[in-house]
Amino acid sequence: MIKKKINFSIFSNFFFKKLEKNTSKSLSEKILSTFWAIFFGILVSFIFIWSFGYNPLKVYYTIVFKIAFAWNEVRNLLLITSIFIFASIAIAIPFKSGLFNIGLPAQMMISGIVSLMIVLNLTSINIYARLLIAALLGILVSGILGALVGILKSYLKINEVISTILLNWIIFYIGKFFLTSTSLDIGFKTTTLTSQTINETAFLTSIFLTRNFSIIMLFLSLLFAFLIWFVLQKTSIGLSIKITGQNKDAANYAGINNKKTTIVVMTFSGIVGGIAGFAWYVFYRRSFTIQAGMPREGFDAILLALLAFNSPFGIIPISFFYSVLLIGTNALEAHSIALNQQTTQIIIGIIVYLSAISVIFIHFKPLKWMMNVWCLSRTGRFFSAKNAKNINIKPTTPVHSNLSLLFIKPEKKEKIRNLQTEITNFENIKAELLTLFLDQKVNIFWIYRKIQKINIKLFLLKRAYLKIKNYDNTAIWKQKKKELKNKSGLDSALKSKNVEEKLAFFEQINQKRRKLNIELNELGYFDAKNNFNAFWQQIIEHHLQFRSLKSEIIQNFKADQKAKKPLKTEEK
């Protein structure tokens, strides 16, 4: 089969260039993409709030300054921020090693259940000793849960997503059993699917419910985030975790034990999740509640980790931002804003959803775009069309503009000649425009648009030309393909033949197909496909050439501006 050769690297460069950039995003690109995602999320939520008849600016002012930053809510704001920092890091570390710990809700729940059972029952022990025991046991059980997932992944090849989802519901129903069971007297059950609240005077008057303790928790979470960053970036342990996440085969060849890494990472993730669960259920909620579905805190941490691109430092501001929204939207009705809990959850959902897809804003750089437009407008080569308008780009009008395949052969020949004339005119104009493409006095943008329009016209004209030219061969194409299909049918006796006879049979079929492809190519069967490939190749080539020339103009303009600055200073 004879076909026109096409440089497919042009296609790959055009389509996958941005994808390659996304895989190696710089820190500034990550920060800006997250910023724009949050900005557009807030903008969409503005529209949603406005549809309810409220002033969005007033609503957000109330959320931030009157509720979240109120003096009586500072303790909760700092505490929730620190909890989400721990929880998000528990998600980010497995992500670095190529694992998805979607079982964080279960790890937080089991840590909270065990801790509350100890605090509520061992009342004879000092409150500080009781909290220490509760924290150690709760974190230990959560770590064991994470280790179980790692073992199942390493030795039984059970996907961690499946095992953690199932463990989420197992722990959920264990908690529900503790709250509703009448056979266990553990001081933990109530009739409203909510455990008893820690209301001891020793606990209520302790440091754990003060702003100072929330500041300590925030400091510890920030220190922990720094330590995790240091381990991931500056130590061999972090390097082995990242290599395992990027390529397990390469890690194996490098001498890294993948099974050990998986178990250690999941265990550590469970321990950190246990810390977050202990702080959430003991210091913030002071009780355990089973609602209609799974508690959302663990899933919120997954979103925050993804939004921060699993960066320990990126998790800090994202956790603070989400904590402000979470606290602020819970008390809007108390400030004469009749947005119920479900409506405020939609507001948070809009912001979080757009924030979670921040990767689509990785190339959204409006300031850079405006600067480039300004540079291009100052050069006079990009938007100015003084000389370009003098170019006659319209070809001579053909005799027959409306095509029909029902004409007789003489008229068909006349139409083919007209199409060939029109194609030649457009190709000459295109060649003339291409020679002017690098001319400094010609409008680059205008020429690029005209060239692409001519490419489209040429494609349509050639397609019409090929339809008329190969119309009589259509029946022959179908006949030859049908003959090959009938001849290449599998023989009923093929099963009884040996391997050599089978290979000879299939080789004979391949020879027939190659011969048919050559005949079809001579009859113009592949002309339409080759025409489309050539058209698409021209579109991509000219687009890449246009982008390259645009970048060159901007760079030259900036270089000229830098060269002029010393001259101006000397003149002064």
Side-chain angles (χ1 to χ4, degrees):
M1 180 177 61
I2 302 172
K3 286 189 178 183
K4 185 177 179 180
K5 293 184 179 180
I6 297 176
N7 185 7
F8 288 98
S9 62
I10 298 174
F11 292 88
S12 61
N13 291 336
F14 181 75
F15 286 109
F16 300 110
K17 190 173 183 180
K18 291 185 178 181
L19 183 61
E20 292 173 358
K21 287 184 178 180
N22 286 341
T23 58
S24 58
K25 296 179 287 291
S26 64
L27 179 61
S28 60
E29 287 178 331
K30 292 178 181 179
I31 294 173
L32 288 175
S33 64
T34 302
F35 168 78
W36 286 116
I38 294 174
F39 171 77
F40 283 108
I42 294 175
L43 187 63
V44 174
S45 66
F46 266 44
I47 300 173
F48 181 77
I49 295 171
W50 176 77
S51 65
F52 282 87
Y54 293 98
N55 185 355
L57 294 175
K58 181 181 178 181
V59 172
Y60 272 100
Y61 179 82
T62 304
I63 290 174
V64 177
F65 295 102
K66 290 187 177 181
I67 301 176
F69 287 170
W71 186 246
N72 59 338
E73 290 290 346
V74 171
R75 180 254 177 190
N76 291 333
L77 176 62
L78 299 181
L79 182 61
I80 293 176
T81 301
S82 61
I83 292 172
F84 276 124
I85 290 173
F86 280 110
S88 301
I89 290 175
I91 294 295
I93 295 174
F95 268 130
K96 293 287 186 180
S97 64
L99 300 170
F100 187 14
N101 183 18
I102 201 174
L104 181 63
Q107 293 157 9
M108 292 181 67
M109 280 192 293
I110 195 66
S111 177
I113 291 171
V114 172
S115 301
L116 285 172
M117 289 177 63
I118 294 173
V119 173
L120 292 172
N121 287 278
L122 301 180
T123 55
S124 59
I125 303 176
N126 180 273
I127 185 64
Y128 294 98
R130 206 186 320 161
L131 287 173
L132 179 61
I133 296 172
L136 293 177
L137 289 180
I139 294 170
L140 177 63
V141 175
S142 179
I144 292 173
L145 206 63
L148 176 62
V149 175
I151 293 171
L152 293 175
K153 171 73 173 180
S154 299
Y155 292 100
L156 299 180
K157 306 299 181 183
I158 299 176
N159 190 281
E160 74 278 4
V161 175
I162 297 174
S163 59
T164 49
I165 289 175
L166 295 177
L167 284 173
N168 280 341
W169 289 106
I170 291 172
I171 301 303
F172 175 81
Y173 284 109
I174 288 176
K176 190 173 183 179
F177 170 76
F178 284 150
L179 291 176
T180 58
S181 175
T182 57
S183 59
L184 295 177
D185 186 13
I186 56 176
F188 195 58
K189 60 181 181 297
T190 61
T191 58
T192 59
L193 295 182
T194 301
S195 70
Q196 298 178 11
T197 305
I198 305 176
N199 289 323
E200 292 184 44
T201 305
F203 181 78
L204 297 177
T205 57
S206 65
I207 191 177
F208 302 113
L209 299 183
T210 62
R211 297 186 189 91
N212 293 333
F213 179 74
S214 63
I215 294 173
I216 294 172
M217 283 290 295
L218 182 62
F219 173 76
L220 292 176
S221 64
L222 297 178
L223 180 62
F224 183 72
F226 172 77
L227 291 176
I228 293 299
W229 172 85
F230 182 82
V231 170
L232 290 175
Q233 299 295 331
K234 305 296 182 180
T235 64
S236 58
I237 297 174
L239 181 62
S240 63
I241 290 174
K242 290 189 289 186
I243 292 176
T244 303
Q246 293 174 0
N247 193 325
K248 293 187 181 297
D249 294 331
N252 192 21
Y253 281 116
I256 299 172
N257 191 335
N258 290 333
K259 294 182 179 180
K260 179 181 177 181
T261 303
T262 300
I263 295 173
V264 170
V265 167
M266 292 304 297
T267 303
F268 184 75
S269 176
I271 291 173
V272 179
I275 296 173
F278 170 78
W280 180 266
Y281 288 106
V282 175
F283 294 142
Y284 179 62
R285 291 294 186 187
R286 293 188 291 141
S287 63
F288 180 77
T289 302
I290 290 293
Q291 298 177 350
M294 193 77 61
R296 50 175 286 190
E297 295 79 27
F299 297 108
D300 292 343
I302 296 174
L303 292 175
L304 299 181
L306 292 174
L307 181 57
F309 292 97
N310 303 315
S311 169
F313 288 149
I315 286 171
I316 296 171
I318 297 300
S319 299
F320 179 76
F321 170 74
Y322 185 75
S323 301
V324 170
L325 289 179
L326 188 64
I327 293 175
T329 54
N330 286 334
L332 281 177
E333 293 182 353
H335 290 76
S336 301
I337 298 177
L339 295 176
N340 55 26
Q341 189 71 18
Q342 289 75 19
T343 306
T344 56
Q345 291 303 317
I346 294 176
I347 296 173
I348 295 178
I350 291 172
I351 298 173
V352 171
Y353 179 77
L354 285 176
S355 301
I357 57 174
S358 59
V359 68
I360 67 175
F361 298 101
I362 199 69
H363 295 290
F364 183 72
K365 300 174 182 178
L367 297 178
K368 183 178 179 180
W369 180 81
M370 288 188 290
M371 179 61 69
N372 290 339
V373 171
W374 179 80
C375 293
L376 292 172
S377 63
R378 292 290 301 275
T379 59
R381 296 181 56 193
F382 198 77
F383 294 110
S384 177
K386 294 180 180 179
N387 295 336
K389 290 182 179 179
N390 297 327
I391 302 173
N392 183 17
I393 65 160
K394 293 184 179 180
T396 57
T397 305
V399 177
H400 301 282
S401 58
N402 296 323
L403 300 177
S404 175
L405 301 179
L406 302 177
F407 289 147
I408 58 176
K409 289 186 178 181
E411 295 181 0
K412 189 181 296 184
K413 292 180 181 179
E414 182 67 22
K415 292 177 71 63
I416 289 176
R417 282 195 294 269
N418 291 331
L419 286 172
Q420 288 176 339
T421 302
E422 195 169 359
I423 290 171
T424 303
N425 288 335
F426 274 111
E427 287 179 345
N428 292 334
I429 294 171
K430 179 181 173 182
E432 183 181 357
L433 290 175
L434 286 174
T435 57
L436 295 172
F437 203 44
L438 300 177
D439 193 340
Q440 296 183 1
K441 298 180 181 180
V442 176
N443 176 6
I444 302 301
F445 181 68
W446 183 88
I447 291 180
Y448 169 72
R449 288 174 53 231
K450 293 300 179 182
I451 289 175
Q452 296 294 40
K453 287 182 179 179
I454 290 175
N455 283 330
I456 296 173
K457 289 181 180 179
L458 285 173
F459 167 70
L460 296 176
L461 289 172
K462 289 179 180 179
R463 187 177 66 175
Y465 165 76
L466 292 173
K467 279 185 178 181
I468 298 174
K469 177 185 174 183
N470 298 324
Y471 178 71
D472 295 333
N473 297 331
T474 306
I476 302 175
W477 298 344
K478 294 181 180 179
Q479 181 181 359
K480 287 186 174 293
K481 291 176 68 176
K482 187 176 181 180
E483 290 177 359
L484 178 64
K485 186 177 180 181
N486 295 332
K487 292 180 180 179
S488 61
L490 294 178
D491 191 357
S492 58
L494 186 63
K495 295 181 180 180
S496 60
K497 296 181 180 180
N498 56 29
V499 177
E500 294 180 355
E501 291 175 343
K502 290 179 180 179
L503 291 175
F505 174 76
F506 287 115
E507 179 63 26
Q508 185 180 5
I509 293 176
N510 288 332
Q511 290 178 358
K512 292 179 181 178
R513 286 182 177 176
R514 286 193 291 268
K515 183 179 179 182
L516 176 64
N517 286 334
I518 294 173
E519 294 177 358
L520 290 176
N521 184 65
E522 293 175 352
L523 294 172
Y525 178 76
F526 299 106
D527 290 348
K529 188 174 183 179
N530 292 337
N531 178 41
F532 176 79
N533 290 339
F535 156 72
W536 196 240
Q537 182 182 12
Q538 291 294 318
I539 290 287
I540 295 172
E541 283 181 351
H542 295 147
H543 177 73
L544 295 177
Q545 188 177 9
F546 170 74
R547 289 180 57 182
S548 176
L549 186 58
K550 183 175 67 173
S551 301
E552 181 183 350
I553 293 173
I554 294 172
Q555 291 175 1
N556 292 337
F557 176 78
K558 291 180 179 179
D560 293 340
Q561 293 297 316
K562 289 182 180 179
K564 291 178 181 179
K565 286 183 179 180
L567 297 176
K568 291 182 179 180
T569 54
E570 290 178 1
E571 291 176 357
K572 289 182 179 180

